[in-house]
Every structure is written in C-alpha cells, then in structure tokens.
Amino acid sequence: MKIVYSDRHRVHRGEFEFFRGELVPCFEKPERADFVFAALVGRGIGPVLEPRRFGIAPLERVHAPRYLRFLERAWHEWSALGQTRDALPAVWPIRAFRDDIEPQSFVAQLGLYSFDSGTPLTAGTWEAACLGADIALTACALVRSGERAAFALSRPPGHHAGADFLGGYCFVNNAAVAAQAFIDGGAARVAVLDVDYHHGNGTQSIFYERADVLFQSIHGDPRTEYPFYLGHADETGRGAGLGYNRNYPLPAGSSNERWFDALGEACARIADHHPRALVVSLGVDTFAGDPISTFQLEATEYQRLGRELAALGLPTVFILEGGYAVAEIGDNVAEVLAAFDAAAV
Ligand code: OKP
Ligand code: ZN
C-alpha cells in the first residue's frame, strides 16, 4: 500500500495541554508519526510518497472561510500580543452567548473557534494542518487513479475538528476533506468509518445533514469518554442526512468481541450504502496499552480489522487519527495495513 508522508509534520509541536488542573506535556507529539513511519518502513510497507500541494480550496469545501482565515493568522496575532508560549483558550461562548459576531480580541476568537483547552496552537500549526490535508488529498488522488488503497500518515489528527472549530488535538478535518474530495471528483456516495477510540464529532457534524457521505463511528461512550457532548446512538442524521449517521458508543473497557460486533454492523451498513470509496479514520488508541483510552485491541485484533475492511472490496483511504502509546502505535497501524494488503484483491 502506498504511504503518503512528509516529516514537516514536526513543525507542530505543542508543549503543554490542560489535564486535571495542570499543564502536562502533550500526548499528541511528533514522535507518534515518526514511530508509525519507522514501523511501516521496517515491515516493507510502502512505497512512501511526498504529498502534492492542493491549496486552500479543498479545505473551504468543509470548513468555514472565517475559521480558516483565523487559523492561518492565529500565530501572528498571538505573537503580536507578546506571547511566546503555545496559545490555549481560556474563555468560550457556550449556549447563551453569541457566536455570529467574531470578536476583535484574539483570545476571544480562539475561544469562539475551539471546544477544549487541550489543543495548543503553535507557530507551526497552520503549516502542519495544511500539510495533513495535502497528505489526505494525495492519498485520495492515488486511490482515484486506481490504487486499491493508500495511507495518509499525518499528524495532528483531524476528526474532532468541525466546520468552524478546533479541539481534541485537531485543526483541519483530514477525513472530511478526503471524503469531500471524492464527492467533488464525481463520486455519488462515500462512506467514512471512524475507528478511533474517541467519537469523530467533527466529521459527524460536517456531514450530519447529508445523504451522500455516510458517517459511522465506533468509540468509547461519551457519557464517560472524551469528547463527551456528542456520539450517542440516537444521533442518526438530520433532514436529508437522516439515516446517514450511525454511532456505536461502547462502555469504557468493552471487550474485543463487543467492538467487532459493532464493526460488523458498521461494515454491513457501508455495503448497503454502495459507496464509491471508503475513508477510514484510523486511530489506534483502541490499543490495550493506550495511556488515555480503555479498549483492549492488540495485534491480532488489528489484523482482523485490516481483513474485515479489505473484505468490503472498496477503494480505501486510511487516515491516521489518534494512538498515544507511542512505542506501539507504529506496530498497530502496520498490522492493520499489512493485513488489509494481504486480504485485498
Ligand atoms: C484525540 B483523538 C487528556 C484528556 C483527553 C483529548 C483527547 C483527544 C483525543 N488531556 N484530551 O481522537 O485521538
Ligand atoms: Zn482518539
């Protein structure tokens, strides 16, 4: 399977995130992508290609222009305040506040466009976020030109980012950009499957009222797990999108058997949708040893995931999302991709 990668992801290196009242070192660090890259190359998965540049137009298909403008200028505005540390929000316009007027204060803008205090915006964030979208779009282009599958090896992740907000370490929603690129390239229908431990709230919200992009997510129950405020089973889409969103929230600590029951249901729904392509938000924070998650997948389960996805027989773009047990994340991704390759026809 072709891998799209660039080591320029390293320009995004957050220092701290808020965690239980303390600033702690970021879980989402450059070493994550380095380990994945090393594991794939070590197992002979490849070749590795550099991304092409697609510019901002494909991002504007799923993100609000004012949000993208904010992201692009953010570091400049923040440093103009004399700040040298990462930017983290401290105030948010929840419910009774207005979100239709963009405040002039940068700190207020940062709150308007974010939903948590664990997603540091740094000097290199915009560059890395655009790079991630270019990587996803290059993987799409490969699949559109006949590759059975491609892997977008990028960070930071994207699936928590919505049309006009960042959060959960995410800024630009690479999976949504990829799905939209398939549609814009002429696909009538696309399916997005999110197997990261955390609900893909950003991707869900972007496609919630659409029938062309089926979104499904298997994740820790938001009653106890991040991102808490979305990802319940009764969220099935709205308007034209009714029936095109499915969530499989599983209790923290769920067994692998339960996880694969959900995967089976999700795959059956994908087959029903008859999509032209599949986009997989591949988080491996479902790993038994992940420091911030509670599922129990290990190598044999990652192989099974790869096989079951291959059995769908669809042109497939894999996009890296979460996974924080840094040493093992590469092996877990490699298991999925190698098993997919071995089973794919
Ligand atoms: C991003 B992705 C640690 C608590 C959790 C947010 C988790 C974001 C996960 N400060 N913080 O879905 O893997
Ligand atoms: Zn996650």
Side-chain angles (χ1 to χ4, degrees), residues 78-219:
W78 179 243
S79 29
L81 297 174
Q83 309 302 325
T84 53
R85 312 302 285 263
D86 298 344
L88 286 175
V91 60
W92 293 271
I94 65 153
R95 294 178 285 281
F97 289 100
R98 287 180 68 166
D99 61 11
D100 58 321
I101 299 175
E102 186 184 78
Q104 282 171 24
S105 153
F106 173 78
V107 170
Q109 289 174 7
L110 183 56
L112 175 63
Y113 294 124
S114 65
F115 70 90
D116 74 9
S117 62
T119 309
L121 202 153
T122 77
T125 296
W126 173 245
E127 187 186 340
C130 290
L131 177 65
D134 280 336
I135 288 174
L137 288 162
T138 304
C140 273
L142 288 167
V143 165
R144 287 188 56 217
S145 62
E147 293 289 331
R148 172 71 166 80
F151 176 50
L153 201 186
S154 60
R155 59 163 290 279
H159 70 149
H160 295 303
D164 64 356
F165 56 83
L166 61 88
Y169 314 147
C170 303
F171 301 88
V172 165
N173 193 316
N174 304 310
V177 168
Q180 185 64 45
F182 278 118
I183 297 286
D184 291 340
R189 286 174 309 281
V190 176
V192 180
L193 177 63
D194 191 320
V195 298
D196 186 280
Y197 179 80
H198 305 94
H199 176 243
N201 64 289
T203 320
Q204 168 171 313
S205 64
I206 287 170
F207 296 118
Y208 204 61
E209 301 190 21
R210 288 172 52 173
D212 54 348
V213 180
L214 169 70
F215 177 73
Q216 300 188 95
S217 180
I218 305 168
H219 50 267

Side-chain angles (χ1 to χ4, degrees), residues 17-20 24 27-28 32 116 118-119 157-160 167-170 194 196-200 226-228 283 285 292-293 321-324:
E17 61 179 82
F18 268 110
F19 182 64
R20 299 183 181 161
V24 303
F27 289 95
E28 201 294 294
R32 298 177 59 248
D116 74 9
T119 309
H159 70 149
H160 295 303
Y169 314 147
C170 303
D194 191 320
D196 186 280
Y197 179 80
H198 305 94
H199 176 243
Y226 187 91
F228 305 119
D285 41 11
I292 67 172
S293 307
E321 302 284 0
Y324 304 97

Side-chain angles (χ1 to χ4, degrees), residues 285-293 295-298 324-325 328 332:
D285 41 11
T286 47
F287 176 53
D290 193 272
I292 67 172
S293 307
F295 289 169
Q296 298 165 29
L297 276 62
E298 297 195 63
Y324 304 97
E328 293 95 339
N332 294 335

